[in-house]
Amino acid sequence: VIVNERKHRSIEVGVRYRTDEGPGGNVAWEHRNFFGRGERVRAELDVSAIAGFLTGSFRKPDVWIRDLALLTGLELASEDPNAYESQSATARVGLERRFREGMTLTGGLAFRAAQVEESTSGRQESFGLVSVPALFNWDRSDDRLDPTRGGRLSLENEPFVDTFGND
């Protein structure tokens, strides 16, 4: 077996057409092994006729102990479907613990500030949501890309409270 290290940087480009959004596309840049210890930095821009998202993420594996990763993320979003118009910014920080092959538990803290305007009434509201996202993944399939046996389980919960005092 000959093993070679993959290039540290990659660029992705995609185009699409969705019946509910129309034409769209995305471009992403990723840098693996950013500081030389397996870190991953990623930036992505995704646009369509009714929405645009700019996201950035950072993942640092084995942060304090083995199989514990630090995850951070930022997102700026703008959406303009027929019913509303929204601008938002989201920041997340969390930890991901791998217990054994195929089983991970992720938890953290997130904040989302959003301004939403209804198209019909023109009513505008602002939200400041603090949440505690949690995710459990369990993959018992025999092959990640082409499974023929096994199963996958994913449980996700994100309770939140609005810090701006809206209902």
Side-chain angles (χ1 to χ4, degrees), residues 12-26:
E12 301 171 19
V13 177
V15 295
R16 67 175 180 274
Y17 182 84
R18 294 182 179 159
T19 57
D20 59 341
E21 290 185 5
N26 70 316

Side-chain angles (χ1 to χ4, degrees), residues 31 72-73 88 110 125 157 160:
H31 188 156
T72 63
S88 66
E125 292 190 56
N157 191 24
F160 66 90

Side-chain angles (χ1 to χ4, degrees), residues 83-151:
Y84 65 91
E85 184 177 334
S86 170
Q87 286 79 38
S88 66
T90 305
R92 294 177 174 266
V93 63
L95 295 172
E96 178 186 80
R97 175 78 164 128
R98 190 177 114 205
F99 291 101
R100 59 182 172 171
E101 190 66 37
M103 185 182 291
T104 60
L105 179 63
T106 306
L109 187 64
F111 179 74
R112 180 179 184 202
Q115 186 172 333
V116 181
E117 182 179 342
E118 292 181 24
S119 295
T120 55
S121 67
R123 192 177 84 191
Q124 190 171 346
E125 292 190 56
S126 297
F127 302 94
L129 306 176
V130 173
S131 63
V132 183
L135 172 65
F136 173 76
N137 277 320
W138 192 16
D139 187 350
R140 300 280 300 184
S141 60
D142 61 345
D143 188 323
R144 189 171 183 178
L145 298 177
D146 188 21
T148 57
R149 289 184 295 124

Side-chain angles (χ1 to χ4, degrees), residues 39-106:
E39 302 87 358
R40 184 177 68 216
V41 176
R42 181 177 174 85
E44 182 173 1
L45 175 65
D46 189 301
V47 294
S48 72
I50 62 170
F53 301 92
L54 177 63
T55 59
S57 63
F58 175 74
R59 183 179 196 281
K60 180 168 180 52
D62 300 333
V63 64
W64 292 297
I65 59 173
R66 189 165 190 236
D67 293 330
L68 181 68
L70 173 68
L71 310 172
T72 63
L74 294 171
E75 178 182 86
L76 299 174
S78 178
E79 299 174 88
D80 191 10
N82 292 335
Y84 65 91
E85 184 177 334
S86 170
Q87 286 79 38
S88 66
T90 305
R92 294 177 174 266
V93 63
L95 295 172
E96 178 186 80
R97 175 78 164 128
R98 190 177 114 205
F99 291 101
R100 59 182 172 171
E101 190 66 37
M103 185 182 291
T104 60
L105 179 63
T106 306

